[in-house]
Amino acid sequence: MKRILFPIVIVFVSLFLSSCGSTKKIVYFQGADTINLAPSRFLYDARIMPKDMLIINVSTTDPEAAKPFNINYQNMQGAYNNTNGINMYGYLVDNEGKINFPMVGSLHVEGMTSRECEALILEKIRPYMAKTETPIVTVRMSSYHVTVIGEAGSRIVPVSTEKMNIVEALASAGDLSIYGRRDNILLIRTDKYGEKSTHRLDISKADILNSPYYYLQQNDIIYIEPNKTKINSTAINNASIWFGALGMVTSLSSLIVAILK
C-alpha cells in the first residue's frame, strides 16, 4: 500500500509546486504591501518632441483680437501649408523643435511641457494685444500615442491626456494573454534626436511603480513576448502539421505505386 501511495503523493506535490510557480509568473505587482513607493511621488508632464502635432488656440474677450493667432480649420479643407508648417490638424514641430506661429514667427518649443509652451506663446502675442486684453492660450499634443504589440493584441493607443503609464497602455490593448511574459516586457523608445533605446520592464513586481519607464512617452512601442508554453505549443502544432503533411505524401505515394503495379 505504501508503495502505491508514495508515487501518488510525489505527483500531487509536484503539481502543487508547479502551479505555485506558474501563479507567480502571472500575478501583477508582487510585493506591493512592502515596497517603498516614495520614489514614485511625482507628477508626470509630457515634453514636446519633433514631429509632434500641436493644437494651439488663443482666446480673448474680443474675438477679433484672437483671429490672427488662430487657424481657421473649417476653411482650410485639409490643405497643408509647407511654408508655415501648418495643416488642418495644427502645428507640426519640425526636426529642429520649432513651429511657425502666426504674427510672431518661429518658436522653439521642443522640450517644453504644454503649460510652458502656453506661457511662451502668451509672452510673444501680448505686444499685439490691447493692454485691457487678457488672452488665454491652450496647447494640446494631438498626435500623442503609444503602440502595443505581441501577447496583448496589436493596437495603437491614443493618449488624449498627454499622460499614460505602462499599466494603462496594456489595459487599453485588452491586457496580456495567459501566454504573455509579465517579467520581460520590451519597451522601445525614440528620443528627440531619433535615437532608439530598449528597456526591459517587469510588471509582476511592484517595483515597476518606481521605474523611470513607468510613464510612457509619445511614440513608445511595447512588445509582449510569448512565454515558453506558447512557444512550445506553437512548435508542437508546427510539427503536427509537418507530420500530417508527410503522412499525406506517404499515403499518396503508396497509392500511386499501387496503381502503377
Short mmCIF file of all heavy atoms in Angstrom, two decimals, residues 101-155:
data_model
loop_
_atom_site.label_atom_id
_atom_site.label_comp_id
_atom_site.label_asym_id
_atom_site.label_seq_id
_atom_site.Cartn_x
_atom_site.Cartn_y
_atom_site.Cartn_z
N PHE A 101 4.53 80.27 -35.74
CA PHE A 101 3.26 80.73 -35.20
C PHE A 101 2.89 82.06 -35.84
O PHE A 101 3.76 82.91 -36.06
CB PHE A 101 3.37 80.90 -33.68
CG PHE A 101 2.04 80.98 -32.99
CD1 PHE A 101 1.22 79.86 -32.89
CD2 PHE A 101 1.59 82.19 -32.48
CE1 PHE A 101 -0.02 79.94 -32.28
CE2 PHE A 101 0.35 82.28 -31.87
CZ PHE A 101 -0.45 81.15 -31.77
N PRO A 102 1.59 82.26 -36.17
CA PRO A 102 1.16 83.50 -36.84
C PRO A 102 1.61 84.75 -36.10
O PRO A 102 1.60 84.81 -34.87
CB PRO A 102 -0.37 83.37 -36.83
CG PRO A 102 -0.62 81.90 -36.79
CD PRO A 102 0.48 81.32 -35.96
N MET A 103 2.04 85.69 -36.84
CA MET A 103 2.44 87.02 -36.36
C MET A 103 3.82 87.02 -35.70
O MET A 103 4.64 87.89 -35.96
CB MET A 103 1.42 87.61 -35.37
CG MET A 103 0.01 87.71 -35.91
SD MET A 103 -0.16 88.90 -37.26
CE MET A 103 0.05 90.47 -36.38
N VAL A 104 4.12 86.05 -34.87
CA VAL A 104 5.37 86.08 -34.09
C VAL A 104 6.49 85.29 -34.75
O VAL A 104 7.66 85.46 -34.40
CB VAL A 104 5.14 85.56 -32.66
CG1 VAL A 104 4.12 86.40 -31.94
CG2 VAL A 104 4.73 84.09 -32.67
N GLY A 105 6.17 84.40 -35.71
CA GLY A 105 7.21 83.68 -36.43
C GLY A 105 7.66 82.39 -35.76
O GLY A 105 6.86 81.71 -35.09
N SER A 106 8.95 82.08 -35.89
CA SER A 106 9.49 80.81 -35.42
C SER A 106 9.62 80.78 -33.89
O SER A 106 10.16 81.70 -33.28
CB SER A 106 10.86 80.55 -36.06
OG SER A 106 11.40 79.33 -35.61
N LEU A 107 9.12 79.66 -33.30
CA LEU A 107 9.23 79.47 -31.85
C LEU A 107 9.82 78.10 -31.57
O LEU A 107 9.38 77.10 -32.14
CB LEU A 107 7.85 79.56 -31.19
CG LEU A 107 7.12 80.90 -31.24
CD1 LEU A 107 5.74 80.77 -30.60
CD2 LEU A 107 7.94 81.98 -30.53
N HIS A 108 10.82 78.06 -30.70
CA HIS A 108 11.42 76.79 -30.32
C HIS A 108 10.64 76.22 -29.13
O HIS A 108 10.68 76.80 -28.03
CB HIS A 108 12.89 76.96 -29.94
CG HIS A 108 13.60 75.66 -29.73
ND1 HIS A 108 13.61 75.01 -28.52
CD2 HIS A 108 14.30 74.86 -30.60
CE1 HIS A 108 14.29 73.88 -28.63
NE2 HIS A 108 14.72 73.78 -29.88
N VAL A 109 9.94 75.11 -29.34
CA VAL A 109 9.06 74.56 -28.30
C VAL A 109 9.49 73.16 -27.85
O VAL A 109 8.92 72.63 -26.89
CB VAL A 109 7.59 74.51 -28.80
CG1 VAL A 109 7.09 75.92 -29.10
CG2 VAL A 109 7.47 73.63 -30.05
N GLU A 110 10.45 72.57 -28.53
CA GLU A 110 10.90 71.21 -28.17
C GLU A 110 11.43 71.20 -26.74
O GLU A 110 12.16 72.08 -26.32
CB GLU A 110 11.98 70.75 -29.14
CG GLU A 110 12.54 69.38 -28.83
CD GLU A 110 13.82 69.48 -28.01
OE1 GLU A 110 14.67 70.33 -28.33
OE2 GLU A 110 13.94 68.72 -27.03
N GLY A 111 11.03 70.17 -25.98
CA GLY A 111 11.46 70.05 -24.60
C GLY A 111 10.55 70.72 -23.60
O GLY A 111 10.70 70.53 -22.39
N MET A 112 9.58 71.49 -24.08
CA MET A 112 8.66 72.17 -23.19
C MET A 112 7.45 71.30 -22.86
O MET A 112 7.07 70.41 -23.63
CB MET A 112 8.14 73.48 -23.83
CG MET A 112 9.18 74.55 -24.01
SD MET A 112 8.42 76.06 -24.67
CE MET A 112 9.83 77.17 -24.61
N THR A 113 6.82 71.56 -21.72
CA THR A 113 5.51 70.99 -21.43
C THR A 113 4.47 71.86 -22.12
O THR A 113 4.78 72.98 -22.60
CB THR A 113 5.23 70.95 -19.93
OG1 THR A 113 5.15 72.31 -19.43
CG2 THR A 113 6.35 70.22 -19.18
N SER A 114 3.24 71.40 -22.15
CA SER A 114 2.17 72.21 -22.74
C SER A 114 2.02 73.53 -22.02
O SER A 114 1.82 74.59 -22.64
CB SER A 114 0.85 71.43 -22.70
OG SER A 114 0.90 70.30 -23.53
N ARG A 115 2.14 73.50 -20.69
CA ARG A 115 1.99 74.75 -19.91
C ARG A 115 3.12 75.72 -20.22
O ARG A 115 2.89 76.93 -20.33
CB ARG A 115 2.01 74.42 -18.41
CG ARG A 115 0.96 73.45 -17.92
CD ARG A 115 -0.45 73.99 -18.03
NE ARG A 115 -0.99 73.85 -19.36
CZ ARG A 115 -1.45 72.71 -19.87
NH1 ARG A 115 -1.41 71.60 -19.16
NH2 ARG A 115 -1.94 72.66 -21.09
N GLU A 116 4.33 75.22 -20.36
CA GLU A 116 5.47 76.09 -20.68
C GLU A 116 5.32 76.69 -22.08
O GLU A 116 5.67 77.85 -22.31
CB GLU A 116 6.77 75.31 -20.56
CG GLU A 116 7.12 74.92 -19.13
CD GLU A 116 8.26 73.93 -19.03
OE1 GLU A 116 8.61 73.32 -20.07
OE2 GLU A 116 8.80 73.75 -17.92
N CYS A 117 4.80 75.89 -23.01
CA CYS A 117 4.57 76.38 -24.37
C CYS A 117 3.50 77.46 -24.37
O CYS A 117 3.61 78.47 -25.09
CB CYS A 117 4.18 75.22 -25.28
SG CYS A 117 4.02 75.65 -27.02
N GLU A 118 2.46 77.28 -23.58
CA GLU A 118 1.40 78.29 -23.46
C GLU A 118 1.96 79.61 -22.95
O GLU A 118 1.63 80.68 -23.47
CB GLU A 118 0.30 77.78 -22.53
CG GLU A 118 -0.51 76.64 -23.10
CD GLU A 118 -1.42 76.00 -22.07
OE1 GLU A 118 -1.34 76.37 -20.88
OE2 GLU A 118 -2.21 75.11 -22.45
N ALA A 119 2.84 79.51 -21.94
CA ALA A 119 3.43 80.73 -21.37
C ALA A 119 4.30 81.45 -22.40
O ALA A 119 4.30 82.69 -22.48
CB ALA A 119 4.26 80.37 -20.14
N LEU A 120 5.04 80.68 -23.22
CA LEU A 120 5.90 81.28 -24.23
C LEU A 120 5.06 82.02 -25.28
O LEU A 120 5.37 83.16 -25.65
CB LEU A 120 6.74 80.19 -24.91
CG LEU A 120 7.56 80.63 -26.12
CD1 LEU A 120 8.64 81.64 -25.70
CD2 LEU A 120 8.19 79.43 -26.83
N ILE A 121 4.02 81.36 -25.77
CA ILE A 121 3.17 81.99 -26.80
C ILE A 121 2.47 83.22 -26.24
O ILE A 121 2.37 84.26 -26.91
CB ILE A 121 2.16 80.96 -27.34
CG1 ILE A 121 2.90 79.84 -28.08
CG2 ILE A 121 1.14 81.63 -28.25
CD1 ILE A 121 2.02 78.69 -28.52
N LEU A 122 2.01 83.12 -25.01
CA LEU A 122 1.35 84.26 -24.38
C LEU A 122 2.28 85.46 -24.30
O LEU A 122 1.88 86.61 -24.58
CB LEU A 122 0.87 83.87 -22.97
CG LEU A 122 0.09 84.93 -22.19
CD1 LEU A 122 -1.17 85.34 -22.93
CD2 LEU A 122 -0.24 84.41 -20.79
N GLU A 123 3.52 85.20 -23.96
CA GLU A 123 4.52 86.28 -23.88
C GLU A 123 4.74 86.93 -25.24
O GLU A 123 4.87 88.15 -25.35
CB GLU A 123 5.84 85.72 -23.35
CG GLU A 123 6.97 86.72 -23.31
CD GLU A 123 8.32 86.07 -23.01
OE1 GLU A 123 8.34 84.88 -22.63
OE2 GLU A 123 9.34 86.76 -23.15
N LYS A 124 4.75 86.10 -26.30
CA LYS A 124 5.04 86.61 -27.64
C LYS A 124 3.88 87.39 -28.26
O LYS A 124 4.09 88.30 -29.08
CB LYS A 124 5.43 85.45 -28.56
CG LYS A 124 6.69 84.71 -28.15
CD LYS A 124 7.92 85.61 -28.23
CE LYS A 124 9.19 84.84 -27.89
NZ LYS A 124 10.39 85.73 -27.96
N ILE A 125 2.64 87.05 -27.90
CA ILE A 125 1.49 87.71 -28.54
C ILE A 125 1.00 88.94 -27.77
O ILE A 125 0.24 89.74 -28.32
CB ILE A 125 0.30 86.72 -28.73
CG1 ILE A 125 -0.27 86.30 -27.37
CG2 ILE A 125 0.74 85.53 -29.56
CD1 ILE A 125 -1.52 85.44 -27.50
N ARG A 126 1.44 89.12 -26.54
CA ARG A 126 0.98 90.26 -25.74
C ARG A 126 1.24 91.62 -26.42
O ARG A 126 0.38 92.52 -26.38
CB ARG A 126 1.62 90.24 -24.36
CG ARG A 126 0.91 89.33 -23.38
CD ARG A 126 1.35 89.59 -21.94
NE ARG A 126 0.70 88.70 -21.01
CZ ARG A 126 -0.52 88.87 -20.54
NH1 ARG A 126 -1.24 89.92 -20.95
NH2 ARG A 126 -1.04 88.03 -19.67
N PRO A 127 2.39 91.82 -27.05
CA PRO A 127 2.62 93.13 -27.72
C PRO A 127 1.60 93.45 -28.80
O PRO A 127 1.45 94.62 -29.18
CB PRO A 127 4.03 92.98 -28.30
CG PRO A 127 4.69 91.94 -27.45
CD PRO A 127 3.59 90.98 -27.11
N TYR A 128 0.91 92.43 -29.35
CA TYR A 128 -0.07 92.66 -30.41
C TYR A 128 -1.47 92.88 -29.86
O TYR A 128 -2.42 93.09 -30.62
CB TYR A 128 -0.10 91.46 -31.36
CG TYR A 128 1.22 91.20 -32.05
CD1 TYR A 128 2.13 90.31 -31.50
CD2 TYR A 128 1.55 91.85 -33.24
CE1 TYR A 128 3.35 90.05 -32.13
CE2 TYR A 128 2.76 91.61 -33.88
CZ TYR A 128 3.66 90.71 -33.31
OH TYR A 128 4.86 90.46 -33.94
N MET A 129 -1.61 92.81 -28.54
CA MET A 129 -2.92 92.92 -27.90
C MET A 129 -3.07 94.28 -27.21
O MET A 129 -2.09 94.91 -26.80
CB MET A 129 -3.10 91.82 -26.86
CG MET A 129 -3.02 90.41 -27.42
SD MET A 129 -4.59 89.96 -28.18
CE MET A 129 -4.24 88.27 -28.66
N ALA A 130 -4.32 94.69 -27.03
CA ALA A 130 -4.59 95.88 -26.23
C ALA A 130 -4.26 95.58 -24.77
O ALA A 130 -4.34 94.44 -24.32
CB ALA A 130 -6.06 96.26 -26.36
N LYS A 131 -3.88 96.62 -24.04
CA LYS A 131 -3.49 96.42 -22.65
C LYS A 131 -4.64 95.90 -21.79
O LYS A 131 -4.43 95.30 -20.74
CB LYS A 131 -2.94 97.73 -22.07
CG LYS A 131 -1.62 98.16 -22.67
CD LYS A 131 -1.09 99.43 -22.02
CE LYS A 131 0.26 99.82 -22.62
NZ LYS A 131 0.81 101.06 -21.98
N THR A 132 -5.85 96.14 -22.25
CA THR A 132 -7.02 95.70 -21.50
C THR A 132 -7.35 94.22 -21.75
O THR A 132 -8.19 93.64 -21.06
CB THR A 132 -8.24 96.55 -21.86
OG1 THR A 132 -8.43 96.50 -23.28
CG2 THR A 132 -8.04 97.99 -21.42
N GLU A 133 -6.71 93.63 -22.76
CA GLU A 133 -6.98 92.23 -23.10
C GLU A 133 -6.22 91.29 -22.16
O GLU A 133 -5.10 91.57 -21.75
CB GLU A 133 -6.58 91.91 -24.53
CG GLU A 133 -7.66 92.15 -25.56
CD GLU A 133 -8.85 91.23 -25.41
OE1 GLU A 133 -8.83 90.31 -24.57
OE2 GLU A 133 -9.84 91.44 -26.13
N THR A 134 -6.87 90.17 -21.85
CA THR A 134 -6.22 89.11 -21.06
C THR A 134 -6.34 87.80 -21.84
O THR A 134 -7.22 86.97 -21.58
CB THR A 134 -6.90 88.96 -19.68
OG1 THR A 134 -8.31 88.76 -19.87
CG2 THR A 134 -6.65 90.18 -18.82
N PRO A 135 -5.49 87.61 -22.84
CA PRO A 135 -5.58 86.41 -23.69
C PRO A 135 -5.31 85.12 -22.92
O PRO A 135 -4.53 85.11 -21.96
CB PRO A 135 -4.52 86.65 -24.76
CG PRO A 135 -3.56 87.59 -24.13
CD PRO A 135 -4.37 88.47 -23.21
N ILE A 136 -5.95 84.07 -23.36
CA ILE A 136 -5.74 82.73 -22.80
C ILE A 136 -5.25 81.82 -23.92
O ILE A 136 -5.88 81.75 -24.98
CB ILE A 136 -7.03 82.16 -22.18
CG1 ILE A 136 -7.49 83.04 -21.01
CG2 ILE A 136 -6.81 80.73 -21.71
CD1 ILE A 136 -8.83 82.63 -20.43
N VAL A 137 -4.14 81.14 -23.70
CA VAL A 137 -3.56 80.24 -24.70
C VAL A 137 -3.66 78.81 -24.20
O VAL A 137 -3.31 78.52 -23.05
CB VAL A 137 -2.08 80.59 -24.98
CG1 VAL A 137 -1.49 79.64 -26.02
CG2 VAL A 137 -1.95 82.04 -25.43
N THR A 138 -4.14 77.92 -25.05
CA THR A 138 -4.17 76.49 -24.71
C THR A 138 -3.38 75.71 -25.76
O THR A 138 -3.51 75.98 -26.96
CB THR A 138 -5.61 75.95 -24.64
OG1 THR A 138 -6.27 76.20 -25.90
CG2 THR A 138 -6.39 76.61 -23.52
N VAL A 139 -2.57 74.77 -25.31
CA VAL A 139 -1.76 73.93 -26.18
C VAL A 139 -2.03 72.47 -25.86
O VAL A 139 -1.99 72.07 -24.68
CB VAL A 139 -0.25 74.24 -26.01
CG1 VAL A 139 0.59 73.28 -26.87
CG2 VAL A 139 0.05 75.68 -26.38
N ARG A 140 -2.28 71.66 -26.87
CA ARG A 140 -2.51 70.23 -26.70
C ARG A 140 -1.69 69.45 -27.73
O ARG A 140 -1.54 69.88 -28.87
CB ARG A 140 -3.99 69.87 -26.87
CG ARG A 140 -4.91 70.49 -25.82
CD ARG A 140 -4.71 69.85 -24.46
NE ARG A 140 -5.61 70.42 -23.46
CZ ARG A 140 -5.33 71.48 -22.71
NH1 ARG A 140 -4.17 72.10 -22.85
NH2 ARG A 140 -6.20 71.93 -21.83
N MET A 141 -1.18 68.29 -27.32
CA MET A 141 -0.47 67.40 -28.24
C MET A 141 -1.49 66.43 -28.84
O MET A 141 -1.92 65.48 -28.18
CB MET A 141 0.62 66.61 -27.52
CG MET A 141 1.66 67.46 -26.83
SD MET A 141 2.92 66.44 -26.01
CE MET A 141 3.65 67.65 -24.90
N SER A 142 -1.88 66.66 -30.08
CA SER A 142 -2.95 65.86 -30.68
C SER A 142 -2.47 64.52 -31.23
O SER A 142 -3.27 63.62 -31.49
CB SER A 142 -3.63 66.65 -31.80
OG SER A 142 -2.71 66.90 -32.86
N SER A 143 -1.15 64.36 -31.41
CA SER A 143 -0.63 63.13 -32.03
C SER A 143 -0.06 62.15 -31.01
O SER A 143 0.55 61.14 -31.38
CB SER A 143 0.46 63.48 -33.04
OG SER A 143 1.53 64.18 -32.40
N TYR A 144 -0.24 62.40 -29.73
CA TYR A 144 0.33 61.56 -28.67
C TYR A 144 -0.29 60.17 -28.71
O TYR A 144 -1.50 60.01 -28.60
CB TYR A 144 0.05 62.22 -27.32
CG TYR A 144 0.96 61.79 -26.18
CD1 TYR A 144 1.69 62.73 -25.48
CD2 TYR A 144 1.07 60.46 -25.79
CE1 TYR A 144 2.52 62.37 -24.43
CE2 TYR A 144 1.89 60.09 -24.75
CZ TYR A 144 2.61 61.04 -24.07
OH TYR A 144 3.42 60.66 -23.03
N HIS A 145 0.54 59.14 -28.88
CA HIS A 145 0.06 57.76 -28.88
C HIS A 145 1.19 56.81 -28.53
O HIS A 145 2.37 57.16 -28.62
CB HIS A 145 -0.54 57.38 -30.24
CG HIS A 145 0.51 57.27 -31.33
ND1 HIS A 145 0.92 58.34 -32.08
CD2 HIS A 145 1.24 56.20 -31.76
CE1 HIS A 145 1.86 57.96 -32.93
NE2 HIS A 145 2.08 56.67 -32.76
N VAL A 146 0.82 55.59 -28.12
CA VAL A 146 1.78 54.51 -27.91
C VAL A 146 1.28 53.29 -28.66
O VAL A 146 0.08 53.17 -28.96
CB VAL A 146 1.98 54.18 -26.41
CG1 VAL A 146 2.52 55.39 -25.66
CG2 VAL A 146 0.66 53.72 -25.79
N THR A 147 2.18 52.37 -28.96
CA THR A 147 1.83 51.16 -29.72
C THR A 147 2.10 49.92 -28.87
O THR A 147 3.18 49.79 -28.29
CB THR A 147 2.66 51.08 -31.02
OG1 THR A 147 2.43 52.26 -31.80
CG2 THR A 147 2.26 49.85 -31.83
N VAL A 148 1.11 49.02 -28.82
CA VAL A 148 1.23 47.76 -28.07
C VAL A 148 1.10 46.61 -29.06
O VAL A 148 0.15 46.56 -29.85
CB VAL A 148 0.15 47.64 -26.98
CG1 VAL A 148 0.31 46.34 -26.21
CG2 VAL A 148 0.20 48.83 -26.03
N ILE A 149 2.06 45.68 -29.04
CA ILE A 149 2.01 44.50 -29.91
C ILE A 149 2.42 43.26 -29.12
O ILE A 149 2.96 43.36 -28.03
CB ILE A 149 2.94 44.66 -31.14
CG1 ILE A 149 4.38 44.90 -30.69
CG2 ILE A 149 2.48 45.78 -32.04
CD1 ILE A 149 5.38 44.91 -31.84
N GLY A 150 2.14 42.10 -29.70
CA GLY A 150 2.53 40.85 -29.06
C GLY A 150 1.37 40.19 -28.35
O GLY A 150 0.22 40.25 -28.80
N GLU A 151 1.65 39.59 -27.19
CA GLU A 151 0.65 38.82 -26.45
C GLU A 151 -0.28 39.72 -25.63
O GLU A 151 -0.64 39.42 -24.50
CB GLU A 151 1.35 37.81 -25.54
CG GLU A 151 2.03 36.68 -26.28
CD GLU A 151 1.04 35.82 -27.06
OE1 GLU A 151 -0.09 35.63 -26.58
OE2 GLU A 151 1.40 35.33 -28.15
N ALA A 152 -0.66 40.84 -26.20
CA ALA A 152 -1.69 41.70 -25.61
C ALA A 152 -2.52 42.27 -26.75
O ALA A 152 -3.19 43.28 -26.60
CB ALA A 152 -1.05 42.83 -24.80
N GLY A 153 -2.43 41.60 -27.91
CA GLY A 153 -3.06 42.12 -29.10
C GLY A 153 -2.16 43.16 -29.76
O GLY A 153 -1.06 43.43 -29.29
N SER A 154 -2.64 43.75 -30.82
CA SER A 154 -1.88 44.78 -31.53
C SER A 154 -2.76 46.00 -31.66
O SER A 154 -3.83 45.95 -32.28
CB SER A 154 -1.45 44.28 -32.91
OG SER A 154 -0.58 43.17 -32.79
N ARG A 155 -2.31 47.10 -31.08
CA ARG A 155 -3.15 48.29 -31.07
C ARG A 155 -2.32 49.54 -30.91
O ARG A 155 -1.34 49.55 -30.17
CB ARG A 155 -4.18 48.20 -29.94
CG ARG A 155 -5.17 49.35 -29.93
CD ARG A 155 -6.17 49.23 -28.81
NE ARG A 155 -7.06 50.38 -28.78
CZ ARG A 155 -7.95 50.62 -27.83
NH1 ARG A 155 -8.08 49.77 -26.84
NH2 ARG A 155 -8.71 51.69 -27.87
#
